[in-house]
């Protein structure tokens, strides 16, 4: 019944189901009456549909059952799904490391020379980042995407960390000072901050349901860090302990080194959100695979046909075939 409306085809499926599941005792007159009713309803619906653009679009679908969802509703549903991805998420930072390095040059009577190279690493210990999702901005984009802009707030949290600072003298500096490495246990914190993640949700028609799959190419979030006042004092004291004759603090300049560490904390670290957060979710629109006719369950074979975004509406269609009802398994004979 190509070209028939979804409602007409729904009636046709029920009628066909009745015919397929018919027993010899079914009344032929009743079946004939249903056929007449079906024809009358078809004619009335075809006439009414001729002047309705929405129904006309439904006729263009290949499937027998057509679902149309206005953009406002699908965007609301998608927004709720996206909100669930990042609301109240805790990111474990145990295995995350911050790292920075550089060179220090000094003016001498021989000109600019390389005094040495410094390297700093911070292991975040038991620290964690707590994320809270805001209200996302969503919009349909054909043929099968929903664009998402997700605001994310990072809550302030505190935890332990380990800082390792190393100095490697170079050139003439090797003659007057020694290399050194400092390791200190400190207390750090992730500062409260705001970010926006951009991506999309891809729609898919599986036949039984509509699903959305997140497409976020860049799942990185920069987390701005800082140390407690006591921890900064510990780091400063450690650097100044090297500012003596025979050690490299004189050339390295502890004040500049401390400033570099603070700039590293201000830049923060880049954390990639785990893929387990972004998962495929089914929307609350589902086609049942069975119906009851004359108190009997009849199976339906459902096949996806189309999915498209057009004129601020999401269109999805499926084809439906009646399956023979499988016989109940026979119980094995008793011994």
């Amino acid at each position: 019944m190509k070209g028939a409306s979804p409602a007409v085809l729904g009636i046709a499926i029920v009628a066909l189901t009745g015919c397929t599941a018919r027993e010899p005792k079914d009344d032929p007159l009743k079946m004939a009456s249903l056929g007449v009713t079906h024809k009358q309803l078809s004619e009335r619906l075809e006439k009414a549909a001729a002047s309705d653009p929405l129904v006309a679009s439904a006729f263009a679908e290949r499937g027998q059952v057509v679902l149309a969802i206005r953009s406002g509703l699908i965007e609301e549903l998608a927004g709720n799904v996206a909100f669930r991805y990042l609301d109240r998420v805790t990111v474990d930072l145990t295995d995350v490391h911050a790292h920075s390095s550089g060179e220090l040059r000094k003016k001498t009577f021989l000109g600019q020379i390389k005094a040495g190279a410094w390297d700093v690493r911070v292991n975040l210990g038991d620290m964690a980042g707590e994320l809270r999702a805001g209200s996302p901005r969503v919009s349909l984009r054909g043929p099968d995407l929903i664009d998402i802009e997700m605001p994310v707030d990072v809550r302030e949290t505190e935890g332990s960390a380990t800082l390792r600072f190393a100095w490697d003298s170079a050139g003439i500096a090797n003659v007057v000072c020694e290399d050194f490495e400092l390791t200190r246990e400190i207390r750090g914190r992730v500062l409260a901050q705001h970010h926006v993640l951009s991506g999309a949700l891809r729609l898919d028609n599986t036949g039984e349901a509509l699903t959305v799959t997140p497409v976020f190419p860049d799942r990185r979030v920069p987390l701005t860090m800082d140390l407690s006042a006591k921890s900064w004092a510990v780091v400063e004291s450690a650097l100044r302990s090297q500012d003596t004759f025979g050690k490299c603090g004189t050339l390295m300049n502890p004040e500049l080194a401390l400033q570099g560490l603070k700039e590293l904390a201000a830049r923060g670290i880049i954390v990639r959100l785990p893929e387990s957060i972004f998962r495929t979710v089914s929307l609350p629109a589902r086609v049942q695979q069975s119906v009851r006719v004359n108190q009997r369950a009849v199976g339906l074979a459902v096949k996806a046909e189309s999915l498209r975004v057009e004129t601020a509406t999401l269109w999805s269609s499926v084809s439906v075939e009646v399956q023979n009802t499988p016989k109940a398994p026979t119980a094995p004979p008793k011994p």
Side-chain angles (χ1 to χ4, degrees):
M1 297 182 64
K2 186 175 181 180
S5 69
V8 171
L9 286 163
I11 297 171
I13 291 169
V14 173
L16 179 57
T17 302
C19 292
T20 304
R22 183 166 62 92
E23 296 180 354
K25 64 180 182 179
D26 288 338
D27 187 355
L29 294 178
K30 181 179 179 181
M31 299 303 300
S33 176
L34 286 174
V36 172
T37 301
H38 170 261
K39 182 178 179 181
Q40 290 174 346
L41 290 174
S42 296
E43 292 174 350
R44 288 170 56 188
L45 185 57
E46 297 286 357
K47 184 177 180 180
S51 58
D52 191 320
L54 185 64
V55 179
S57 294
F59 279 126
E61 295 294 328
R62 299 192 303 269
Q64 296 167 309
V65 178
V66 179
L67 175 67
I69 307 178
R70 289 295 193 186
S71 60
L73 176 58
I74 196 68
E75 289 171 3
E76 180 181 353
L77 292 173
N80 291 336
V81 169
F83 179 83
R84 286 163 52 189
Y85 287 138
L86 292 173
D87 187 41
R88 299 180 183 272
V89 170
T90 299
V91 180
D92 184 7
L93 303 179
T94 302
D95 296 325
V96 176
H97 311 282
H99 174 250
S100 186
S101 60
E103 294 182 352
L104 181 65
R105 294 184 173 274
K106 287 281 189 178
K107 278 187 177 182
T108 70
F109 64 93
L110 298 175
Q112 285 275 357
I113 65 169
K114 178 181 176 181
W118 57 271
D119 183 274
V120 61
R121 298 175 185 271
V122 180
N123 299 333
L124 299 185
D126 62 359
M127 295 184 66
E130 297 184 11
L131 311 181
R132 293 293 303 269
S135 298
R137 295 178 57 186
V138 299
S139 59
L140 285 175
R141 173 162 61 95
D144 59 355
L145 292 176
I146 305 172
D147 288 325
I148 299 284
E149 283 192 355
M150 172 65 70
V152 178
D153 290 311
V154 181
R155 301 181 64 183
E156 181 170 326
T157 56
E158 185 174 330
S160 63
T162 302
L163 181 141
R164 294 181 175 85
F165 185 92
W167 171 263
D168 182 14
S169 301
I172 194 173
N174 273 318
V175 178
V176 296
C177 66
E178 300 174 353
D179 300 340
F180 70 89
E181 181 174 335
L182 301 172
T183 299
R184 295 291 186 272
E185 297 299 322
I186 55 178
R187 295 290 293 179
R189 69 179 188 271
V190 176
L191 300 179
Q193 53 207 273
H194 180 81
H195 303 287
V196 176
L197 284 179
S198 297
L201 299 177
R202 177 173 287 116
L203 292 155
D204 184 41
N205 177 10
T206 68
E208 296 180 35
L210 294 178
T211 64
V212 290
T213 300
V215 182
F216 283 78
D218 189 0
R219 299 177 180 179
R220 298 175 301 171
V221 176
L223 297 183
T224 305
M225 314 286 292
D226 198 1
L227 302 184
S228 65
K230 184 177 180 180
S231 292
W232 278 124
V234 168
V235 173
E236 181 176 8
S237 175
L239 292 174
R240 290 191 181 281
S241 70
Q242 303 301 311
D243 191 9
T244 60
F245 182 77
K247 295 187 177 181
C248 284
T250 304
L251 291 177
M252 183 190 62
N253 192 329
E255 288 78 9
L256 290 179
L258 188 65
Q259 181 61 34
L261 291 177
K262 290 184 177 182
E263 290 174 359
L264 172 63
R267 288 198 302 271
I269 57 175
I270 302 298
V271 176
R272 183 174 176 81
L273 298 177
E275 293 187 4
S276 59
I277 295 177
F278 300 91
R279 57 198 179 279
T280 299
V281 177
S282 295
L283 295 178
R286 182 173 296 274
V287 179
Q288 297 293 334
Q289 291 187 295
S290 66
V291 295
R292 297 195 67 83
V293 179
N294 294 331
Q295 305 302 315
R296 185 183 311 162
V298 177
L300 302 176
V302 181
K303 177 184 176 184
E305 291 291 349
S306 65
L307 184 143
R308 61 188 171 90
V309 173
E310 182 180 281
T311 60
T313 302
L314 172 66
W315 292 91
S316 176
S317 68
V318 298
S319 60
V320 180
E321 293 182 359
V322 178
Q323 292 182 321
N324 292 326
T325 305
K327 294 182 179 180
T330 304
K334 295 183 180 180

